[in-house]
Amino acid sequence: MPASGALLSIPRLVDAATAEKAAQAGSSQAGKAAGSKSLPGYAKNFLTSDMDGLGPDGKPTGQIATFTGASKANAVAEQAMKHKMKLTKEEQAILDGKEGKEKAKLMKILVQFGNTFGADELVDLGGAPHSNMFIGAGYMASMIKMLDECAKAGLKSYAPYTVNPRPYDVYNVQNNVKDMELIYEGYPLQKDLDYVHVRLGAPDLNYRTCACYLDEVGNAPEPGTYVAWAESSAVNYGNSVLGIRTNRNGAGMDLIQAMLAKAPKFGLMTDEGRKARWLVEIKTSKEPDWGAIGTAIGRKCVEDVPYVTGLDKYFEGGKVTPDNLHLLKAMGSATASAGAVGLYHVEGVTPDAKEKGHDLLVKDYQTYVIDDKEQKRIIDSFPNLWPEKDGDPTAAFIGCPHNTYHEVIKWGTLVTEALDKAGKEEAAIPVYMFMPNPVRDRAIEEHGELISKMKRAGMHATNMCGVSYAGMKGFSERMRGVTNSAKTRNYSSIRYFPDEILVQTIVTGKIPKGA
Ligand code: F3S
């Protein structure tokens, strides 16, 4: 989704016929697997997500994700219903209610979750959780109520945790009266949700971000740590670049596991589940378009793990640093939103690949080559979903997942220098720069002059989720956004452009001809 596609206030933008076909494919698969006798109708899609393998033509490829990453039980209902995990005495006691009825209920959910996906056991969690419970929309009411009951019973996360950005910002983005109405109508439970988080262990709204792993935020557990994160881009980055072990948890399941400090071990938490089924060879003649290749990988691999070659030259000495991590953030979040990739390996760069190399590939792996032609084919497949296709852009959205410090300085410099060159002080359209507050604060401290110039140019620093904001009903219909994020493009009607085109567009307010 945003581990979270399902959570956003906007539907995934596929046409209705395509979505219908994919849903039918899912239901027939589940029905067949269950022998059609005991699986109730409402459960038919429980084992799959909306990540349904759409090809570049918008048609289903036939592969449907389980949303958790690889599943040992292959998410087949018949097998899942038979499976039983082994519990320790302590875990059984919790299930039997020895630590209260609320914890017993949580354990019941967790055990069922583990059984469903073929886990053998529960493992203890370390590091700190990351939650994607960030949308206070009406449809989250039952989940918020359940968590509220847990908070009232005194339950808490095993460690202070980070949470995805809020879906709106009432301070920094110059909302008009109509926008403010839309915010309060669209997200009426936001305060209730924030109150739940305060009591469960995530008190400070300054740390709301999807890029929890940035140095300025500090939620980056040690390699090999079992955690139960939610938020597809954070899971994808954490598993791949940090080397932590988490499945792609749905909203709410992250906090259930945080309150029990345990997770069922399956899928991407196991050596077997971290093996790559795809060898992806990047053979572009220049530095690739990271969002485009991520989209290509997501569409091809759906939720399988790819082993990617040809990228080590962009990471000096094979090191991921604060100045280059945005490349993997952009690629990874696109794999996780165009498909449901929860882990990728980059040869010579990411920790699993450095340690095991080609041994990570399964015997019968498939190969996918992305060259200039394939990259162009992917970019050309991005549709123009603006309500008025030939209109001029109304705003730029930069930073999904949230910007790093390096990206903030880079974009500030690019835009203000281009404005200077054009003899302008202000951009033609507002530029929303999404970032965690500690990144904003560091930028102000270290580059105060540039940040002032950015502000005067109409570049707004905000710590909300741009996709949720742009997707508000009533707002999306009148907005023609442009972005550098393939993830934002995937979840909204905002159009994707390479950096140099985006800068020109911001300066002139027009999309350059032929772009
Ligand atoms: Fe972050 Fe929202 Fe994008 S949570 S990854 S800014 S969809």
Side-chain angles (χ1 to χ4, degrees):
M1 291 183 254
S4 9
L7 249 195
L8 290 173
S9 54
I10 51 167
R12 194 151 182 250
L13 290 167
V14 294
D15 69 73
T18 303
E20 176 61 17
K21 271 192 220 160
Q24 281 167 4
S27 61
S28 63
Q29 185 194 53
K32 212 179 353 170
S36 71
K37 65 176 180 347
S38 52
L39 196 67
Y42 62 79
K44 65 181 185 292
N45 287 327
F46 272 14
L47 299 181
T48 59
S49 79
D50 62 350
M51 301 297 178
D52 43 23
L54 296 178
D57 52 3
K59 292 189 181 137
T61 59
Q63 188 176 354
I64 297 175
T66 60
F67 80 73
T68 55
S71 158
K72 193 176 168 191
N74 294 324
V76 174
E78 192 178 44
Q79 292 172 24
M81 285 157 70
K82 283 187 208 152
H83 187 76
K84 289 255 179 299
M85 269 192 304
K86 281 198 192 77
L87 298 183
T88 63
K89 271 191 193 145
E90 178 215 7
E91 290 157 358
Q92 187 62 50
I94 296 173
L95 189 62
D96 294 341
K98 301 274 178 347
E99 294 189 22
K101 65 178 189 324
E102 291 81 12
K103 244 182 160 179
K105 278 187 198 168
L106 297 183
M107 186 58 98
K108 193 174 169 192
I109 296 169
L110 197 60
V111 169
Q112 193 59 50
F113 177 55
N115 286 343
T116 303
F117 287 97
D120 293 326
E121 57 175 347
L122 295 173
V123 289
D124 294 331
L125 298 177
H130 179 77
S131 169
N132 76 342
M133 282 283 294
F134 68 121
I135 304 263
Y139 58 78
M140 296 303 291
S142 57
M143 188 72 85
I144 294 171
K145 186 167 173 281
M146 180 197 88
L147 294 172
D148 182 61
E149 280 176 29
C150 293
K152 280 182 180 140
L155 301 187
K156 235 178 163 31
S157 161
Y158 66 90
Y161 61 94
T162 47
V163 183
N164 263 10
R166 292 175 108 215
Y168 60 77
D169 181 342
V170 291
Y171 297 107
N172 301 303
V173 286
Q174 297 177 326
N175 297 305
N176 61 30
V177 173
K178 185 72 201 156
D179 297 337
M180 291 298 287
E181 281 175 18
L182 291 172
I183 285 170
Y184 291 123
E185 285 162 12
Y187 301 112
L189 303 179
Q190 200 65 39
K191 184 226 136 209
D192 296 340
L193 179 57
D194 289 343
Y195 182 43
V196 157
H197 279 309
V198 166
R199 287 172 290 158
L200 295 184
D204 191 341
L205 297 188
N206 280 306
Y207 289 85
R208 291 292 173 93
T209 180
C210 37
C212 60
Y213 41 79
L214 298 181
D215 285 350
E216 295 84 356
V217 181
N219 188 358
E222 291 297 312
T225 308
Y226 293 123
V227 291
W229 281 12
E231 166 47 42
S232 69
S233 68
V235 164
N236 173 291
Y237 187 94
N239 270 326
S240 312
V241 184
L242 302 180
I244 61 175
R245 295 194 165 211
T246 173
N247 284 312
R248 281 171 52 107
N249 292 288
M253 194 53 81
D254 46 359
L255 291 174
I256 290 172
Q257 292 171 94
M259 286 183 275
L260 292 167
K262 285 180 183 291
K265 187 179 165 195
F266 68 91
L268 300 175
M269 299 174 84
T270 66
D271 288 344
E272 186 196 341
R274 292 173 78 89
K275 289 220 156 174
R277 292 179 185 278
W278 286 90
L279 172 65
V280 179
E281 299 175 349
I282 308 295
K283 293 189 170 171
T284 50
S285 56
K286 292 189 288 209
E287 180 174 340
D289 179 315
W290 296 86
I293 63 169
T295 302
I297 294 169
R299 285 178 180 174
K300 182 66 83 178
C301 303
V302 186
E303 70 174 345
D304 289 342
V305 177
Y307 184 93
V308 188
T309 63
L311 296 179
D312 47 329
K313 52 179 164 288
Y314 304 106
F315 300 89
E316 212 185 319
K319 287 204 178 100
V320 181
T321 64
D323 291 354
N324 66 24
L325 74 84
H326 60 284
L327 306 176
L328 294 179
K329 176 169 70 76
M331 180 188 82
S333 60
T335 69
S337 54
V341 173
L343 162 69
Y344 56 86
H345 304 297
V346 177
E347 188 163 68
V349 178
T350 56
D352 290 28
K354 274 185 174 167
E355 190 191 330
K356 296 180 186 155
H358 277 234
D359 290 349
L360 284 167
L361 285 157
V362 298
K363 269 210 187 85
D364 55 346
Y365 68 84
Q366 301 181 69
T367 302
Y368 176 37
V369 176
I370 304 179
D371 54 15
D372 293 341
K373 203 169 145 215
E374 178 65 352
Q375 178 172 278
K376 182 172 180 322
R377 186 181 73 80
I378 294 292
I379 293 172
D380 289 347
S381 74
F382 293 165
N384 178 351
L385 296 169
W386 280 359
E388 273 177 73
K389 294 204 180 329
D390 300 326
D392 288 329
T394 57
F397 291 72
I398 297 178
C400 163
H402 271 182
N403 283 302
T404 65
Y405 170 78
H406 172 84
E407 287 179 296
V408 173
I409 303 307
K410 179 188 110 175
W411 274 97
T413 308
L414 278 176
V415 171
T416 54
E417 283 183 356
L419 285 170
D420 283 347
K421 220 166 155 191
K424 292 180 169 183
E425 189 163 284
E426 200 175 342
I429 52 175
V431 181
Y432 302 129
M433 298 286 299
F434 304 97
M435 67 191 81
N437 282 354
V439 166
R440 176 204 61 192
D441 293 346
R442 182 179 165 200
I444 292 170
E445 275 169 30
E446 296 180 15
H447 283 274
E449 207 174 313
L450 175 67
I451 301 301
S452 304
K453 208 168 172 187
M454 288 168 70
K455 202 160 190 301
R456 285 197 299 277
M459 301 179 80
H460 306 273
T462 168
N463 74 342
M464 67 175 161
C465 163
V467 173
S468 308
Y469 180 68
M472 282 189 304
K473 196 165 161 32
F475 191 75
S476 57
E477 290 85 344
R478 61 185 157 86
M479 199 241 345
R480 293 183 295 276
V482 288
T483 187
N484 65 337
S485 162
K487 175 168 178 173
T488 292
R489 186 214 64 78
N490 199 57
Y491 285 131
S492 74
S493 60
I494 298 174
R495 292 176 66 188
Y496 176 82
F497 292 104
D499 292 0
E500 59 281 7
I501 303 287
L502 209 46
V503 173
Q504 282 185 53
T505 305
I506 289 166
V507 172
T508 63
K510 306 267 177 208
I511 304 219
K513 282 216 165 70

